[in-house]
Amino acid sequence: MSVYALGLDYGSDSVRALLVDTKTGEEVATQVAMYPRWGQGLYCEPGRNQFRQHPLDYLETLVTVVQGLWAEAPAGAADKVVGISFDTTGSTPVAVDEEGVALALKPEFADNPNAMFVLWKDHTAVKEAQEITAAANRSEINYLQYEGGIYSSEWYWAKALHVLRADEAVRQAAYAWVEHCDWMPAVLTDTTHPSRFRIGRCAAGHKMMWHESWGGYPPNEFWTGIDPVLDGYANRLPKETFTAAESVGPLSAEWAAKLGLPAGIPVGFGAFDCHMGAVAANVKPGVLTKVMGTSTCDITVASYEDIADKCIRGICGQVDGSVVPGMVGLEAGQSAFGDLYAWFRDLVNWPVQTLLASTDALDEATRKKLTEEIEDKTLVALGDAASQIPPGETGITALDWVNGRRTPDADQTLTMAIAGLDMGSQAPQIFRALVEATAFGARAIIERFKSEGVAINSVVVIGGISKKSDFIMQVCADVWNCQIDVLESEQSCALGAAMFASTIAGVYPNVQAAQKVMASPVSNSYFPNAQNAAIYDRLYREYQALGAYVEGARP
């Protein structure tokens, strides 16, 4: 008899649910639900790099997406689900009160952006991140030594500090801060109250400065030395953390009824999307898994013997058990990948979008449909034309820092640049340079891992871009000068979550055993063109030179 695992993947724009047969690895049914408030642009100010999401978007779409599965899945499938696990974006924290209620769920904070989840891409906390980095460098113990040595505005403490400083009402009401990947399992198991709340290893180790060697988090005096508004927050966090292969607790009767699932089935500790996606990609030492979407997240693992006492500079952390229990997980990534292409698409489409918006003859539904069609066709046309241009012939060099730099060496104050433009530079030439820039940014990460003694022999890619553009993937293979394998699964992160769900349910003794049956096969591979790779070696040096100039020329 088939039994099923349910993986929930919370991305930037939507939640995806995937039902997987634990015995065969077959993806039985999948559903996607868009966040309604986020889709309207509510609570966000892109010009200020402010991106907030309402917790109701997460809760409402959870019901929609899971209930939607049962119309697609075999009859009676819901009763055969044996476990649930979550992955989410991160770092995406929210303030909660003394009862563990997310502040935006309270009437007085229902429309306050500072009371909502601060999405991973929110960069309002650049100043705070710099202060945390400076404090760690002054400290007798450098509490950032396992997080690459530089704290990012994309991470938990910087975001909490920024909001606490900016909003007195939130400051008065906030008791603790909770990551999205930890909040979802707590909601479903009725353990959101601080007395029952527990957290996963992934977010704590990579974004919250948790490490076993100093007993959890930097001490309270470290935080009050930065700003007294942080007084007590570290003390309210659970000192013990758990891998995603462990269960938070049983699904509550309330949520079982909402989702149409059996009450009491185990709910796993959450982790970040890229970490669970890497598990679905059969991550192992020497293999880098890249989740290619609006940004990228790069994941690999190393044995305890290989990592030893090394602290890898400039990455997003190295955490025991954050990916696969029994190994050290390492994370890096780029703050913009697909977002850079979308920026250029919107730039060249601005006149058309403006005309559509001002045309009274079109109703809203027609206007939206036309806009979406133009956006899709623009990227396809740009890619087709750019693919016909030989490497090195545009004369254009670009940086990929349109949303700052995540790694190597986080710096969200950096901005992109384009050099070499002339009257012959048309949209396809510029687009090709932008694609090359994202590939160069990824190469910088690969080279940092290698220079720090972490083996990277091949790359496995998951995410929408890997399925949509042969052109982009071939450029990446040429720039990185290595084989790239693309996974067959369209929902790799949700698949990884389902693999952890099968583990906590006891179907498999560990996630490595689940991988042997449930991991996604490879659908396509790209191989470097030796001639192009040689050209890109030269162009990469030009990318590095432009980056050094831009970084050094800042006031």
PDB file of all heavy atoms in Angstrom, residues 101-130:
ATOM      1  N   VAL A 101       2.345  35.041  19.484  1.00  0.00           N
ATOM      2  CA  VAL A 101       1.503  35.432  18.348  1.00  0.00           C
ATOM      3  C   VAL A 101       2.262  36.424  17.474  1.00  0.00           C
ATOM      4  O   VAL A 101       2.780  37.433  17.973  1.00  0.00           O
ATOM      5  CB  VAL A 101       0.187  36.071  18.837  1.00  0.00           C
ATOM      6  CG1 VAL A 101      -0.648  36.548  17.650  1.00  0.00           C
ATOM      7  CG2 VAL A 101      -0.597  35.085  19.691  1.00  0.00           C
ATOM      8  N   ALA A 102       2.342  36.135  16.186  1.00  0.00           N
ATOM      9  CA  ALA A 102       2.965  37.084  15.256  1.00  0.00           C
ATOM     10  C   ALA A 102       2.207  38.404  15.328  1.00  0.00           C
ATOM     11  O   ALA A 102       0.976  38.438  15.246  1.00  0.00           O
ATOM     12  CB  ALA A 102       2.939  36.531  13.841  1.00  0.00           C
ATOM     13  N   LEU A 103       2.946  39.518  15.486  1.00  0.00           N
ATOM     14  CA  LEU A 103       2.285  40.789  15.761  1.00  0.00           C
ATOM     15  C   LEU A 103       1.287  41.198  14.691  1.00  0.00           C
ATOM     16  O   LEU A 103       0.243  41.777  14.990  1.00  0.00           O
ATOM     17  CB  LEU A 103       3.336  41.895  15.934  1.00  0.00           C
ATOM     18  CG  LEU A 103       4.259  41.785  17.153  1.00  0.00           C
ATOM     19  CD1 LEU A 103       5.067  43.072  17.316  1.00  0.00           C
ATOM     20  CD2 LEU A 103       3.493  41.479  18.431  1.00  0.00           C
ATOM     21  N   ALA A 104       1.553  40.899  13.436  1.00  0.00           N
ATOM     22  CA  ALA A 104       0.641  41.302  12.362  1.00  0.00           C
ATOM     23  C   ALA A 104      -0.699  40.586  12.428  1.00  0.00           C
ATOM     24  O   ALA A 104      -1.649  40.992  11.760  1.00  0.00           O
ATOM     25  CB  ALA A 104       1.282  41.077  10.999  1.00  0.00           C
ATOM     26  N   LEU A 105      -0.800  39.523  13.236  1.00  0.00           N
ATOM     27  CA  LEU A 105      -2.068  38.832  13.402  1.00  0.00           C
ATOM     28  C   LEU A 105      -2.940  39.491  14.470  1.00  0.00           C
ATOM     29  O   LEU A 105      -4.078  39.067  14.685  1.00  0.00           O
ATOM     30  CB  LEU A 105      -1.825  37.362  13.772  1.00  0.00           C
ATOM     31  CG  LEU A 105      -1.146  36.513  12.688  1.00  0.00           C
ATOM     32  CD1 LEU A 105      -0.918  35.099  13.188  1.00  0.00           C
ATOM     33  CD2 LEU A 105      -1.971  36.507  11.404  1.00  0.00           C
ATOM     34  N   LYS A 106      -2.404  40.522  15.120  1.00  0.00           N
ATOM     35  CA  LYS A 106      -3.174  41.255  16.127  1.00  0.00           C
ATOM     36  C   LYS A 106      -3.800  42.478  15.470  1.00  0.00           C
ATOM     37  O   LYS A 106      -3.178  43.115  14.612  1.00  0.00           O
ATOM     38  CB  LYS A 106      -2.257  41.660  17.285  1.00  0.00           C
ATOM     39  CG  LYS A 106      -1.521  40.474  17.900  1.00  0.00           C
ATOM     40  CD  LYS A 106      -0.583  40.900  19.006  1.00  0.00           C
ATOM     41  CE  LYS A 106      -1.379  41.307  20.234  1.00  0.00           C
ATOM     42  NZ  LYS A 106      -0.573  41.254  21.465  1.00  0.00           N
ATOM     43  N   PRO A 107      -5.033  42.833  15.835  1.00  0.00           N
ATOM     44  CA  PRO A 107      -5.738  43.931  15.151  1.00  0.00           C
ATOM     45  C   PRO A 107      -4.958  45.231  15.098  1.00  0.00           C
ATOM     46  O   PRO A 107      -4.958  45.921  14.066  1.00  0.00           O
ATOM     47  CB  PRO A 107      -7.019  44.080  15.976  1.00  0.00           C
ATOM     48  CG  PRO A 107      -7.233  42.746  16.605  1.00  0.00           C
ATOM     49  CD  PRO A 107      -5.865  42.189  16.865  1.00  0.00           C
ATOM     50  N   GLU A 108      -4.260  45.576  16.173  1.00  0.00           N
ATOM     51  CA  GLU A 108      -3.563  46.858  16.210  1.00  0.00           C
ATOM     52  C   GLU A 108      -2.343  46.908  15.291  1.00  0.00           C
ATOM     53  O   GLU A 108      -1.800  47.971  15.013  1.00  0.00           O
ATOM     54  CB  GLU A 108      -3.156  47.204  17.651  1.00  0.00           C
ATOM     55  CG  GLU A 108      -2.176  46.237  18.299  1.00  0.00           C
ATOM     56  CD  GLU A 108      -2.856  45.124  19.081  1.00  0.00           C
ATOM     57  OE1 GLU A 108      -3.944  44.662  18.633  1.00  0.00           O
ATOM     58  OE2 GLU A 108      -2.317  44.711  20.127  1.00  0.00           O
ATOM     59  N   PHE A 109      -1.891  45.746  14.812  1.00  0.00           N
ATOM     60  CA  PHE A 109      -0.719  45.708  13.935  1.00  0.00           C
ATOM     61  C   PHE A 109      -1.040  45.144  12.553  1.00  0.00           C
ATOM     62  O   PHE A 109      -0.134  44.866  11.764  1.00  0.00           O
ATOM     63  CB  PHE A 109       0.386  44.852  14.567  1.00  0.00           C
ATOM     64  CG  PHE A 109       1.008  45.451  15.795  1.00  0.00           C
ATOM     65  CD1 PHE A 109       0.754  44.917  17.048  1.00  0.00           C
ATOM     66  CD2 PHE A 109       1.853  46.543  15.698  1.00  0.00           C
ATOM     67  CE1 PHE A 109       1.330  45.460  18.190  1.00  0.00           C
ATOM     68  CE2 PHE A 109       2.442  47.098  16.821  1.00  0.00           C
ATOM     69  CZ  PHE A 109       2.178  46.550  18.075  1.00  0.00           C
ATOM     70  N   ALA A 110      -2.315  44.976  12.241  1.00  0.00           N
ATOM     71  CA  ALA A 110      -2.721  44.235  11.044  1.00  0.00           C
ATOM     72  C   ALA A 110      -2.196  44.831   9.744  1.00  0.00           C
ATOM     73  O   ALA A 110      -2.025  44.111   8.757  1.00  0.00           O
ATOM     74  CB  ALA A 110      -4.242  44.139  10.984  1.00  0.00           C
ATOM     75  N   ASP A 111      -1.932  46.149   9.730  1.00  0.00           N
ATOM     76  CA  ASP A 111      -1.442  46.789   8.508  1.00  0.00           C
ATOM     77  C   ASP A 111      -0.110  47.487   8.716  1.00  0.00           C
ATOM     78  O   ASP A 111       0.267  48.369   7.934  1.00  0.00           O
ATOM     79  CB  ASP A 111      -2.480  47.798   7.995  1.00  0.00           C
ATOM     80  CG  ASP A 111      -3.730  47.116   7.471  1.00  0.00           C
ATOM     81  OD1 ASP A 111      -3.593  46.203   6.635  1.00  0.00           O
ATOM     82  OD2 ASP A 111      -4.832  47.475   7.913  1.00  0.00           O
ATOM     83  N   ASN A 112       0.616  47.085   9.737  1.00  0.00           N
ATOM     84  CA  ASN A 112       1.920  47.684  10.033  1.00  0.00           C
ATOM     85  C   ASN A 112       3.024  46.820   9.423  1.00  0.00           C
ATOM     86  O   ASN A 112       3.254  45.694   9.873  1.00  0.00           O
ATOM     87  CB  ASN A 112       2.110  47.791  11.543  1.00  0.00           C
ATOM     88  CG  ASN A 112       3.416  48.484  11.919  1.00  0.00           C
ATOM     89  OD1 ASN A 112       4.340  48.581  11.111  1.00  0.00           O
ATOM     90  ND2 ASN A 112       3.503  48.954  13.151  1.00  0.00           N
ATOM     91  N   PRO A 113       3.722  47.301   8.412  1.00  0.00           N
ATOM     92  CA  PRO A 113       4.769  46.487   7.776  1.00  0.00           C
ATOM     93  C   PRO A 113       5.843  46.001   8.751  1.00  0.00           C
ATOM     94  O   PRO A 113       6.414  44.928   8.548  1.00  0.00           O
ATOM     95  CB  PRO A 113       5.362  47.437   6.727  1.00  0.00           C
ATOM     96  CG  PRO A 113       4.291  48.430   6.457  1.00  0.00           C
ATOM     97  CD  PRO A 113       3.577  48.616   7.760  1.00  0.00           C
ATOM     98  N   ASN A 114       6.113  46.787   9.791  1.00  0.00           N
ATOM     99  CA  ASN A 114       7.145  46.390  10.746  1.00  0.00           C
ATOM    100  C   ASN A 114       6.725  45.220  11.621  1.00  0.00           C
ATOM    101  O   ASN A 114       7.552  44.622  12.305  1.00  0.00           O
ATOM    102  CB  ASN A 114       7.529  47.575  11.624  1.00  0.00           C
ATOM    103  CG  ASN A 114       8.263  48.646  10.849  1.00  0.00           C
ATOM    104  OD1 ASN A 114       9.065  48.343   9.970  1.00  0.00           O
ATOM    105  ND2 ASN A 114       7.977  49.900  11.150  1.00  0.00           N
ATOM    106  N   ALA A 115       5.432  44.903  11.618  1.00  0.00           N
ATOM    107  CA  ALA A 115       4.920  43.778  12.401  1.00  0.00           C
ATOM    108  C   ALA A 115       4.837  42.505  11.574  1.00  0.00           C
ATOM    109  O   ALA A 115       4.368  41.481  12.057  1.00  0.00           O
ATOM    110  CB  ALA A 115       3.548  44.123  12.964  1.00  0.00           C
ATOM    111  N   MET A 116       5.308  42.559  10.329  1.00  0.00           N
ATOM    112  CA  MET A 116       5.181  41.426   9.416  1.00  0.00           C
ATOM    113  C   MET A 116       6.516  40.717   9.238  1.00  0.00           C
ATOM    114  O   MET A 116       7.544  41.147   9.747  1.00  0.00           O
ATOM    115  CB  MET A 116       4.633  41.923   8.079  1.00  0.00           C
ATOM    116  CG  MET A 116       3.254  42.521   8.238  1.00  0.00           C
ATOM    117  SD  MET A 116       2.606  43.219   6.721  1.00  0.00           S
ATOM    118  CE  MET A 116       1.161  44.054   7.391  1.00  0.00           C
ATOM    119  N   PHE A 117       6.474  39.622   8.508  1.00  0.00           N
ATOM    120  CA  PHE A 117       7.701  38.914   8.195  1.00  0.00           C
ATOM    121  C   PHE A 117       8.572  39.801   7.300  1.00  0.00           C
ATOM    122  O   PHE A 117       8.098  40.368   6.313  1.00  0.00           O
ATOM    123  CB  PHE A 117       7.403  37.602   7.472  1.00  0.00           C
ATOM    124  CG  PHE A 117       6.942  36.504   8.400  1.00  0.00           C
ATOM    125  CD1 PHE A 117       5.603  36.336   8.689  1.00  0.00           C
ATOM    126  CD2 PHE A 117       7.863  35.648   8.986  1.00  0.00           C
ATOM    127  CE1 PHE A 117       5.183  35.335   9.547  1.00  0.00           C
ATOM    128  CE2 PHE A 117       7.460  34.645   9.844  1.00  0.00           C
ATOM    129  CZ  PHE A 117       6.112  34.487  10.128  1.00  0.00           C
ATOM    130  N   VAL A 118       9.831  39.918   7.656  1.00  0.00           N
ATOM    131  CA  VAL A 118      10.789  40.708   6.884  1.00  0.00           C
ATOM    132  C   VAL A 118      11.452  39.751   5.893  1.00  0.00           C
ATOM    133  O   VAL A 118      12.295  38.939   6.264  1.00  0.00           O
ATOM    134  CB  VAL A 118      11.826  41.375   7.799  1.00  0.00           C
ATOM    135  CG1 VAL A 118      12.738  42.295   6.983  1.00  0.00           C
ATOM    136  CG2 VAL A 118      11.135  42.157   8.912  1.00  0.00           C
ATOM    137  N   LEU A 119      11.040  39.839   4.638  1.00  0.00           N
ATOM    138  CA  LEU A 119      11.456  38.875   3.622  1.00  0.00           C
ATOM    139  C   LEU A 119      12.967  38.882   3.438  1.00  0.00           C
ATOM    140  O   LEU A 119      13.636  39.896   3.657  1.00  0.00           O
ATOM    141  CB  LEU A 119      10.751  39.193   2.300  1.00  0.00           C
ATOM    142  CG  LEU A 119      10.923  38.171   1.173  1.00  0.00           C
ATOM    143  CD1 LEU A 119      10.302  36.835   1.534  1.00  0.00           C
ATOM    144  CD2 LEU A 119      10.301  38.688  -0.122  1.00  0.00           C
ATOM    145  N   TRP A 120      13.508  37.767   2.976  1.00  0.00           N
ATOM    146  CA  TRP A 120      14.950  37.610   2.787  1.00  0.00           C
ATOM    147  C   TRP A 120      15.559  38.774   2.005  1.00  0.00           C
ATOM    148  O   TRP A 120      16.674  39.216   2.300  1.00  0.00           O
ATOM    149  CB  TRP A 120      15.244  36.293   2.073  1.00  0.00           C
ATOM    150  CG  TRP A 120      14.694  36.233   0.666  1.00  0.00           C
ATOM    151  CD1 TRP A 120      13.483  35.768   0.282  1.00  0.00           C
ATOM    152  CD2 TRP A 120      15.339  36.700  -0.533  1.00  0.00           C
ATOM    153  NE1 TRP A 120      13.306  35.908  -1.080  1.00  0.00           N
ATOM    154  CE2 TRP A 120      14.436  36.476  -1.606  1.00  0.00           C
ATOM    155  CE3 TRP A 120      16.578  37.275  -0.803  1.00  0.00           C
ATOM    156  CZ2 TRP A 120      14.742  36.810  -2.918  1.00  0.00           C
ATOM    157  CZ3 TRP A 120      16.883  37.606  -2.120  1.00  0.00           C
ATOM    158  CH2 TRP A 120      15.972  37.373  -3.156  1.00  0.00           C
ATOM    159  N   LYS A 121      14.836  39.284   0.997  1.00  0.00           N
ATOM    160  CA  LYS A 121      15.422  40.285   0.105  1.00  0.00           C
ATOM    161  C   LYS A 121      15.307  41.707   0.643  1.00  0.00           C
ATOM    162  O   LYS A 121      15.736  42.647  -0.013  1.00  0.00           O
ATOM    163  CB  LYS A 121      14.787  40.185  -1.277  1.00  0.00           C
ATOM    164  CG  LYS A 121      13.325  40.571  -1.338  1.00  0.00           C
ATOM    165  CD  LYS A 121      12.671  40.171  -2.651  1.00  0.00           C
ATOM    166  CE  LYS A 121      13.144  40.987  -3.822  1.00  0.00           C
ATOM    167  NZ  LYS A 121      12.456  40.620  -5.078  1.00  0.00           N
ATOM    168  N   ASP A 122      14.737  41.869   1.838  1.00  0.00           N
ATOM    169  CA  ASP A 122      14.642  43.190   2.456  1.00  0.00           C
ATOM    170  C   ASP A 122      16.037  43.631   2.905  1.00  0.00           C
ATOM    171  O   ASP A 122      16.709  42.945   3.671  1.00  0.00           O
ATOM    172  CB  ASP A 122      13.700  43.107   3.667  1.00  0.00           C
ATOM    173  CG  ASP A 122      13.409  44.468   4.277  1.00  0.00           C
ATOM    174  OD1 ASP A 122      14.350  45.094   4.776  1.00  0.00           O
ATOM    175  OD2 ASP A 122      12.232  44.884   4.279  1.00  0.00           O
ATOM    176  N   HIS A 123      16.471  44.797   2.407  1.00  0.00           N
ATOM    177  CA  HIS A 123      17.817  45.300   2.708  1.00  0.00           C
ATOM    178  C   HIS A 123      17.775  46.620   3.471  1.00  0.00           C
ATOM    179  O   HIS A 123      18.673  47.453   3.345  1.00  0.00           O
ATOM    180  CB  HIS A 123      18.618  45.478   1.418  1.00  0.00           C
ATOM    181  CG  HIS A 123      19.001  44.192   0.757  1.00  0.00           C
ATOM    182  ND1 HIS A 123      19.474  44.118  -0.537  1.00  0.00           N
ATOM    183  CD2 HIS A 123      18.963  42.914   1.205  1.00  0.00           C
ATOM    184  CE1 HIS A 123      19.709  42.857  -0.854  1.00  0.00           C
ATOM    185  NE2 HIS A 123      19.412  42.107   0.191  1.00  0.00           N
ATOM    186  N   THR A 124      16.738  46.791   4.284  1.00  0.00           N
ATOM    187  CA  THR A 124      16.639  48.040   5.049  1.00  0.00           C
ATOM    188  C   THR A 124      17.625  48.077   6.212  1.00  0.00           C
ATOM    189  O   THR A 124      17.822  49.134   6.815  1.00  0.00           O
ATOM    190  CB  THR A 124      15.214  48.230   5.592  1.00  0.00           C
ATOM    191  OG1 THR A 124      14.819  47.051   6.322  1.00  0.00           O
ATOM    192  CG2 THR A 124      14.231  48.476   4.462  1.00  0.00           C
ATOM    193  N   ALA A 125      18.256  46.951   6.531  1.00  0.00           N
ATOM    194  CA  ALA A 125      19.083  46.861   7.740  1.00  0.00           C
ATOM    195  C   ALA A 125      20.583  46.847   7.440  1.00  0.00           C
ATOM    196  O   ALA A 125      21.358  46.231   8.176  1.00  0.00           O
ATOM    197  CB  ALA A 125      18.703  45.616   8.537  1.00  0.00           C
ATOM    198  N   VAL A 126      21.006  47.543   6.389  1.00  0.00           N
ATOM    199  CA  VAL A 126      22.429  47.567   6.045  1.00  0.00           C
ATOM    200  C   VAL A 126      23.270  48.136   7.192  1.00  0.00           C
ATOM    201  O   VAL A 126      24.309  47.569   7.566  1.00  0.00           O
ATOM    202  CB  VAL A 126      22.651  48.386   4.755  1.00  0.00           C
ATOM    203  CG1 VAL A 126      24.132  48.632   4.524  1.00  0.00           C
ATOM    204  CG2 VAL A 126      22.061  47.654   3.555  1.00  0.00           C
ATOM    205  N   LYS A 127      22.845  49.247   7.762  1.00  0.00           N
ATOM    206  CA  LYS A 127      23.591  49.879   8.851  1.00  0.00           C
ATOM    207  C   LYS A 127      23.711  48.932  10.044  1.00  0.00           C
ATOM    208  O   LYS A 127      24.785  48.800  10.653  1.00  0.00           O
ATOM    209  CB  LYS A 127      22.902  51.174   9.270  1.00  0.00           C
ATOM    210  CG  LYS A 127      23.539  51.890  10.453  1.00  0.00           C
ATOM    211  CD  LYS A 127      22.804  53.197  10.744  1.00  0.00           C
ATOM    212  CE  LYS A 127      23.410  53.924  11.949  1.00  0.00           C
ATOM    213  NZ  LYS A 127      23.127  53.199  13.206  1.00  0.00           N
ATOM    214  N   GLU A 128      22.627  48.276  10.378  1.00  0.00           N
ATOM    215  CA  GLU A 128      22.627  47.366  11.520  1.00  0.00           C
ATOM    216  C   GLU A 128      23.554  46.177  11.283  1.00  0.00           C
ATOM    217  O   GLU A 128      24.258  45.733  12.202  1.00  0.00           O
ATOM    218  CB  GLU A 128      21.205  46.893  11.801  1.00  0.00           C
ATOM    219  CG  GLU A 128      20.299  47.946  12.416  1.00  0.00           C
ATOM    220  CD  GLU A 128      19.794  48.996  11.449  1.00  0.00           C
ATOM    221  OE1 GLU A 128      19.963  48.810  10.217  1.00  0.00           O
ATOM    222  OE2 GLU A 128      19.218  50.005  11.899  1.00  0.00           O
ATOM    223  N   ALA A 129      23.573  45.663  10.058  1.00  0.00           N
ATOM    224  CA  ALA A 129      24.468  44.551   9.740  1.00  0.00           C
ATOM    225  C   ALA A 129      25.924  44.965   9.904  1.00  0.00           C
ATOM    226  O   ALA A 129      26.757  44.196  10.415  1.00  0.00           O
ATOM    227  CB  ALA A 129      24.209  44.068   8.315  1.00  0.00           C
ATOM    228  N   GLN A 130      26.241  46.161   9.483  1.00  0.00           N
ATOM    229  CA  GLN A 130      27.616  46.650   9.637  1.00  0.00           C
ATOM    230  C   GLN A 130      28.002  46.780  11.112  1.00  0.00           C
ATOM    231  O   GLN A 130      29.129  46.456  11.498  1.00  0.00           O
ATOM    232  CB  GLN A 130      27.754  47.991   8.920  1.00  0.00           C
ATOM    233  CG  GLN A 130      27.638  47.896   7.414  1.00  0.00           C
ATOM    234  CD  GLN A 130      27.546  49.250   6.726  1.00  0.00           C
ATOM    235  OE1 GLN A 130      27.169  50.260   7.351  1.00  0.00           O
ATOM    236  NE2 GLN A 130      27.870  49.293   5.439  1.00  0.00           N
TER     237      GLN A 130
END
